Amino acid sequence: LGTLISLIIGVGYYYYYWAMKDGQTIGDSVMHVRVVKADGSPITFVTVLIRYIGYLLNTVVFFLGWLYALIDSQKRGLHDIIAGTIVVKA
């Protein structure tokens, strides 16, 4: 039950900021970046859900998904590739 509640809160947080607040969480705003789909369109609920699950997978598999951004030409982590998103300057 705790895991389900955590998932709902996490997805809800990111959905609110990425889909309803112009693609920026509080931290993204400080860093002057935003998350958009790779084609430049806004994030949808499904995209947020896929990207959030990608976050979890990145972490569970020895942080390899996060490290992938170091070698990707567009600096995208595996969560970005799975969800079809990219982080751009705001």
Side-chain angles (χ1 to χ4, degrees), residues 7-85:
L7 179 69
I8 291 169
I9 290 171
V11 170
Y13 171 82
Y14 286 110
Y15 177 70
Y16 176 75
Y17 283 104
W18 286 339
M20 301 177 75
K21 287 286 193 179
D22 204 24
Q24 290 182 298
T25 62
I26 296 167
D28 294 339
S29 180
V30 170
M31 298 297 294
H32 303 288
V33 296
R34 81 179 64 253
V35 179
V36 295
K37 287 188 178 179
D39 64 4
S41 62
I43 302 277
T44 64
F45 177 77
V46 173
T47 307
V48 170
L49 183 61
I50 293 169
R51 195 168 195 263
Y52 188 77
I53 290 170
Y55 272 180
L56 299 176
L57 292 174
N58 285 349
T59 304
V60 169
V61 186
F62 307 110
F63 298 96
L64 293 179
W66 301 105
L67 296 174
Y68 185 79
L70 297 173
I71 61 170
D72 184 68
S73 63
Q74 294 180 311
K75 304 297 183 205
R76 297 185 332 161
L78 288 179
H79 57 286
D80 285 316
I81 293 168
I82 292 168
T85 59

